[in-house]
């Protein structure tokens, strides 16, 4: 590799084209940056090297060794234990030698993993990419490159999200020494951002693994609603340009919630409340337009106790993964958002307008507001911190549960603080929007990262997001204002009427659902049988690993069963693999360990067979789980079909239909 005497626009374009193939934002940020003048030379090895003038430094700083830059990169990457780390995050691109070395060791040959580079100076990167050709590997999607604002917290969450499995299987943070010399403050800030994003991804992946089985069970149990009830397509752009107020249940909610009792204001805005805030709103005489729910646990039905008998004007919008007891308990209309798992299970040809699933009900509220076309979107009660040492705003269902414990010696405030400090190992101090010290925790930090990712995308699309909570953690991408300032941004025109939904289910679609679930049940039973028959084949292959003729015959039997499972029974196999998330995660980790191991081909083959045996045992367990889920889903679908038929049946002898 040699560096041209002058920067090459064609070479820069070639490198940027490779980056733009999967990250056009980063490519544009580099292209728009102003490149500094670097002092280029050749190292003793003949490799190009460069020096950059640093503000306040007595002499220029070399971006790589002026003697042996490649050997220096090798030594830097030698510190990474690739058997324990599936991700390397480097702060500082420099001249790219260490990045290329990490890429070769981690990803060359199609290996699973991630190499990420955070470069605080987009102009410096532009100068390097104008001289050195890295286009052969910059276009790899497993190579994440973030610069400038894209390397800030919100941008990192968005870029790292698709690589959660790699990050959670070990992440090595590597700081490029010259970058630390040039930008020490940026390096410290980026290091903290990486640690927060890694913690967020670990929480997200762990939650998905722990809750995957329960989530799939809820999805199947709610198929009667999903197939036969109302969806959210009718809400798409139904409130375009209408301001939305998103109500969460943080401690700061009490500051502004009573403003929503103003009838004139309610005629101008759409109010979307998380389920935790429903009771405090109703007790104040405030009826939101929508309530959002997605919690998988039945304990969340406490939010729906002692509600009015009818809430016909308040629509519950749920993710289909919500516990079905919530749908049964709610006394008003219900709509379900689209879900890929349910669509695949049903093989439903009906197109649905995308409305993303949320990590929390607050995120779902935001996605619903965007789906409605609302603008601006204003948050109240969205603290994401324990403002004033409190967990919730007054009047939530939790406080009702605590009522028997309350006394002059055990106040609500004491109970709230006890709940907070119970998780002291996960607490962290932040400066709130007023610059005051406050506590938050790892979970709420994760949620804030997701909001910042979503806000960044929405703002890029022209949305206006206002955080009028007047308390709690600051959120990048949302303008911090008082609620009165937010009201000044609201259009005075009255909002249009919103589409209404019925509680009734479509009998024809429920009948189709019953037939589909019967088919899936039969397919999964057959898949389970094929899987059980395959385990002894793999065990025999272990014994025959040194007998090539017998091994090949057994491999043919294995291939036939694999084709039967993955192709002939593909719909059932895909469903079961959704349930088998822990098994799939363990397989990915086993694959990587095998590739990184130093054993010979025989040892690797035996390890692969052991991996497959374990995977099939997990698959059998997943089949059993899926069959139990389908039994519950079928029961609910048949009950819903019977009820839909009764309601559709005309009255007999003038009697009123039930």
């Amino acid at each position: 590799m040699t560096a041209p005497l002058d920067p090459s626009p064609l070479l820069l374009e070639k490198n940027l084209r490779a980056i733009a193939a999967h990250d056009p934002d980063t490519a544009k940020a580099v292209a728009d940056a102003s490149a500094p003048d670097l002092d280029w030379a050749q190292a003793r090895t003949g490799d190009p090297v460069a020096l950059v003038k640093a503000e306040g430094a007595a002499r220029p700083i070399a971006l790589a060794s002026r003697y042996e830059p490649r050997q220096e990169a090798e030594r830097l990457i030698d510190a990474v234990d690739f058997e324990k780390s599936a991700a390397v995050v480097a702060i500082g691109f420099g001249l790219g030698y260490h990045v290329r070395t990490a890429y070769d060791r981690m990803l060359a040959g199609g290996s699973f993993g991630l190499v990420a580079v955070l470069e605080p100076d987009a102009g410096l990167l532009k100068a390097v990419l104008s001289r050195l050709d890295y286009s052969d590997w910059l276009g790899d999607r497993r190579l994440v490159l973030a610069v400038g604002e894209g390397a800030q917290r919100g941008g990192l969450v968005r870029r790292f999200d698709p690589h959660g499995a790699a990050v959670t299987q070990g992440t090595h943070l590597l700081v490029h020494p010259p970058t630390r010399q040039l930008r020490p403050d940026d390096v410290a800030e980026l290091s903290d951002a990486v640690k927060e994003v890694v913690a967020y991804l670990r929480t997200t992946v762990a939650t998905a693994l722990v809750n995957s089985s329960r989530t799939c069970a809820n999805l199947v149990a709610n198929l009667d609603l999903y197939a036969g009830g109302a969806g959210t397509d009718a809400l798409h752009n139904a409130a375009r340009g209408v301001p939305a107020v998103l109500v969460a249940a943080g401690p700061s909610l009490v500051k502004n919630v009573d403003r929503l009792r103003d009838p004139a204001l309610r005629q101008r805005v759409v109010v979307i409340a998380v389920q935790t805030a429903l009771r405090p709103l109703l007790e104040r005489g405030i009826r939101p337009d929508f309530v959002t729910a997605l919690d998988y646990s039945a304990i969340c039905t406490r939010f729906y106790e002692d509600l009015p008998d009818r809430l016909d004007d308040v629509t519950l919008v749920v993710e289909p993964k919500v516990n079905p007891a919530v749908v049964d308990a709610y006394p008003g209309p219900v709509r379900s958002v689209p879900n890929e798992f349910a669509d695949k299970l049903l093989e439903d040809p009906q197109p649905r307008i995308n409305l993303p699933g949320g990590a929390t009900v607050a995120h779902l509220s935001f996605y619903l507001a965007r789906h409605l076309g609302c603008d601006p979107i204003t948050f109240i009660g969205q603290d994401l911190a324990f403002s004033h040492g409190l967990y919730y705003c007054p009047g939530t269902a939790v406080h009702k549960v605590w009522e028997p414990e309350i006394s002059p010696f055990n106040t609500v405030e004491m109970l709230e603080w006890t709940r907070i400090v119970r998780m002291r190992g996960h607490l962290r101090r932040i400066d709130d929007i007023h610059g005051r010290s406050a506590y938050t925790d790892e979970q709420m930090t994760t949620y804030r990262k997701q909001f910042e990712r979503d806000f960044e995308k929405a703002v890029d699309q022209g949305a206006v997001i206002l955080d009028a909570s007047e308390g709690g953690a600051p959120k990048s991408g949302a303008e911090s204002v008082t609620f009165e300032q937010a009201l000044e941004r609201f259009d005075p025109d009255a909002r249009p009427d919103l589409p209404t939904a019925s509680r009734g289910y479509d009998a024809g679609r429920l009948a189709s659902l019953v037939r589909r679930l019967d088919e899936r049940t039969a397919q999964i039973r057959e898949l389970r049988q094929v899987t059980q028959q395959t385990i002894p084949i793999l065990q025999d292959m272990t014994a025959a690993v040194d007998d090539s003729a017998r091994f090949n015959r057994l491999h043919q039997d294995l291939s036939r069963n694999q084709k039967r499972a993955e192709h002939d029974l593909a719909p059932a196999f895909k469903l079961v693999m959704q349930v088998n998330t822990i098994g799939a995660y363990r397989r990915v980790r086993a694959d990587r360990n095998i590739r990184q191991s130093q054993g010979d081909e025989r040892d690797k083959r035996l390890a692969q067979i052991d991996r497959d045996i374990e995977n099939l045992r997990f698959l059998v367990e997943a089949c059993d789980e899926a069959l139990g889920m389908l039994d519950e889903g079928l029961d609910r679908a048949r009950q819903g079909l019977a009820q839909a038929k009764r309601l559709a049946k005309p009255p007999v002898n003038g009697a009123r239909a039930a």
Side-chain angles (χ1 to χ4, degrees):
M1 183 188 299
T2 59
L5 295 177
D6 297 308
S8 169
L10 292 178
L11 182 55
L12 175 63
E13 182 181 353
K14 185 179 180 182
N15 282 319
L16 293 182
R17 194 162 52 243
I19 298 171
H22 62 89
D23 192 349
D25 292 342
T26 294
K28 184 177 186 304
V30 175
D32 293 344
S34 177
D37 291 327
L38 303 182
D39 184 9
W40 287 91
Q42 280 192 329
R44 185 169 59 190
T45 56
D47 297 302
V49 293
L51 289 85
V52 61
K53 294 178 181 178
E55 185 177 348
R59 62 185 66 184
I61 293 175
L63 294 176
S65 169
R66 289 173 285 178
Y67 302 97
E68 296 179 333
R70 293 181 187 275
Q71 288 87 337
E72 177 191 57
E74 292 284 348
R75 288 193 296 271
L76 190 61
I77 302 304
D78 281 343
V80 180
D81 186 343
F82 286 94
E83 290 189 7
K84 296 181 179 179
S85 300
V88 174
V89 181
I91 298 179
F93 189 88
L95 297 183
Y97 291 115
H98 63 297
V99 181
R100 178 59 192 257
T101 303
Y103 174 85
D104 285 343
R105 294 195 192 179
M106 176 78 77
L107 303 177
S111 296
F112 165 83
L114 167 71
V115 174
V117 191
L118 316 184
E119 174 50 63
D121 189 343
L124 182 61
L125 181 59
K126 182 177 183 178
V128 172
L129 296 183
S130 299
R131 300 275 191 145
L132 303 177
D133 186 358
Y134 289 141
S135 60
D136 60 326
W137 52 275
L138 283 177
D140 193 323
R141 291 182 178 275
R142 298 164 301 166
L143 189 287
V144 170
L145 181 61
V147 299
E149 292 184 0
Q152 295 177 359
R153 286 170 172 81
L156 289 185
V157 170
R158 178 168 57 84
R159 286 170 171 81
F160 280 28
D161 246 349
H163 305 281
V167 170
T168 56
Q169 292 186 32
T171 298
H172 187 101
L173 179 61
L174 187 75
V175 177
H176 180 237
T179 302
R180 189 195 300 275
Q181 288 181 273
L182 288 167
R183 316 277 296 245
D185 293 340
D186 288 333
V187 167
E189 185 176 341
L190 287 172
S191 297
D192 290 341
V194 170
K195 292 172 185 176
E196 288 186 6
V197 173
V198 169
Y200 148 68
L201 287 172
R202 285 175 177 160
T203 301
T204 302
V205 172
T207 301
L209 291 174
V210 171
N211 295 336
S212 61
S213 179
R214 181 68 261 178
T215 297
C216 289
N218 289 347
L219 285 165
V220 175
N222 284 320
L223 284 173
D224 56 341
L225 166 67
Y226 193 79
T232 53
D233 282 9
L235 301 179
H236 188 240
N237 287 332
R240 177 174 286 279
V242 177
V245 177
L246 275 52
V247 183
S252 66
L253 179 62
V254 294
K255 294 182 179 181
N256 294 308
V257 64
D258 288 321
R259 292 288 281 110
L260 296 178
R261 300 171 65 179
D262 181 355
L265 174 60
R266 287 293 285 110
Q267 291 176 3
R268 296 162 47 204
V269 302
V270 173
V271 176
I272 305 173
V274 303
Q275 61 181 10
T276 327
L278 178 59
R279 187 195 299 273
L281 289 180
L282 293 176
E283 288 180 348
R284 291 170 168 83
I286 302 167
R287 297 170 80 90
D289 298 290
F290 300 99
V291 178
T292 54
L294 53 72
D295 293 282
Y296 70 93
S297 173
I299 197 172
C300 61
T301 55
R302 297 299 299 264
F303 301 126
Y304 303 93
E305 293 176 352
D306 303 323
L307 294 181
D309 292 336
R310 298 180 67 87
L311 286 174
D312 294 339
D313 56 340
V314 182
T315 300
L316 179 67
V317 177
V318 302
E319 281 196 35
K321 69 183 181 183
V322 73
N323 193 285
V326 170
V327 178
D328 296 339
Y330 189 70
V334 182
R335 292 184 182 271
S336 63
V337 307
N339 181 268
E340 184 179 2
F341 175 87
D343 287 337
K344 288 180 178 178
L345 180 59
L346 296 172
E347 293 184 346
D348 194 342
Q350 280 196 332
R352 298 174 189 260
I353 301 172
N354 184 48
L355 197 168
T360 67
V361 281
H363 292 86
L364 179 56
S365 294
F366 177 69
Y367 302 150
L368 176 60
R370 295 280 291 150
H371 184 75
L372 286 160
C374 295
D375 192 70
I377 297 173
T378 301
F379 287 86
I380 61 173
Q382 189 61 65
D383 293 56
L384 294 176
F386 303 115
S387 302
H388 307 294
L390 298 176
Y391 205 98
Y392 287 121
C393 73
T396 61
V398 172
H399 293 163
K400 298 291 183 184
V401 174
W402 288 346
E403 280 182 354
E405 303 177 47
I406 296 175
S407 71
F409 305 100
N410 195 29
T411 65
V412 170
E413 291 79 8
M414 293 169 65
L415 289 168
E416 292 246 3
W417 180 243
T418 300
R419 177 165 183 171
I420 293 169
V421 298
R422 190 183 302 155
M423 300 298 290
R424 60 173 56 86
H426 299 279
L427 293 178
R428 60 182 65 180
R429 283 188 179 274
I430 60 166
D431 291 333
D432 69 9
I433 62 170
H434 304 295
R436 299 178 301 213
S437 178
Y439 278 114
T440 186
D441 63 15
E442 189 172 294
Q443 186 179 59
M444 286 194 288
T445 299
T446 295
Y447 296 154
R448 179 161 58 91
K449 299 289 177 229
Q450 292 167 316
F451 269 127
E452 290 174 344
R453 173 201 62 191
D454 296 333
F455 292 168
E456 179 188 42
K457 181 178 178 180
V459 170
D460 286 345
Q461 296 171 348
V464 175
I465 303 169
L466 307 176
D467 182 10
S469 298
E470 300 187 43
K475 305 160 194 72
S476 174
E479 183 181 346
S480 183
V481 297
T482 66
F483 194 47
E484 291 302 320
Q485 290 171 333
L487 294 180
E488 295 173 2
R489 311 274 284 270
F490 290 2
D491 192 315
D493 292 342
R495 68 175 202 190
D497 291 333
L498 298 172
T500 57
S502 169
R503 278 293 303 218
Y505 290 172
D506 183 281
R509 290 183 60 78
L510 287 179
S512 297
L513 170 63
V514 170
R515 291 192 295 271
R516 182 69 67 197
L517 293 183
D518 279 330
E519 293 172 5
R520 290 287 178 270
T521 299
Q523 290 174 340
I524 292 175
R525 287 199 178 103
E526 185 174 354
L527 174 64
R528 186 185 191 280
Q529 183 180 18
V530 171
T531 305
Q532 283 188 311
Q533 293 170 349
T534 306
I535 293 175
I537 296 174
L538 288 166
Q539 292 169 334
D540 289 344
M541 290 175 71
T542 299
V545 70
D546 297 318
D547 183 345
S548 58
R550 185 179 174 219
F551 189 91
N552 290 337
R553 288 195 300 271
L554 290 168
H555 192 273
Q556 290 176 354
D557 295 338
L558 174 66
S559 297
R560 279 194 295 271
N561 285 3
Q562 184 178 10
K563 180 178 180 298
R564 179 66 179 150
E566 296 182 7
H567 297 280
D568 301 343
L569 299 172
F573 182 78
K574 291 176 181 177
L575 168 61
V576 172
M577 287 306 295
Q578 291 280 344
V579 179
N580 188 34
T581 52
I582 293 179
Y585 184 84
R586 289 171 66 95
R587 170 162 185 140
V588 168
R589 186 171 61 186
D591 284 344
R592 191 175 178 282
N593 290 339
I594 292 170
R595 282 194 292 267
Q596 295 290 333
S597 69
Q598 302 300 315
D600 58 22
E601 288 303 314
R602 183 181 185 278
D603 290 339
K604 288 187 176 183
R605 179 173 290 185
L606 287 171
Q608 288 168 344
I609 296 172
D610 288 342
R611 171 206 64 195
D612 292 342
I613 290 173
E614 181 186 46
N615 189 54
L616 291 186
R617 285 173 175 158
F618 271 101
L619 192 61
V620 170
E621 293 179 9
C623 285
D624 292 335
E625 281 192 77
L627 288 170
M629 296 173 190
L630 289 175
D631 284 344
E632 182 181 357
L634 266 169
D635 285 344
R636 289 180 63 88
R638 286 171 178 148
Q639 292 171 14
L641 177 59
Q643 182 179 13
K645 287 180 176 178
R646 285 197 304 270
L647 293 174
K649 189 175 181 180
V652 178
N653 298 327
R656 182 175 298 174

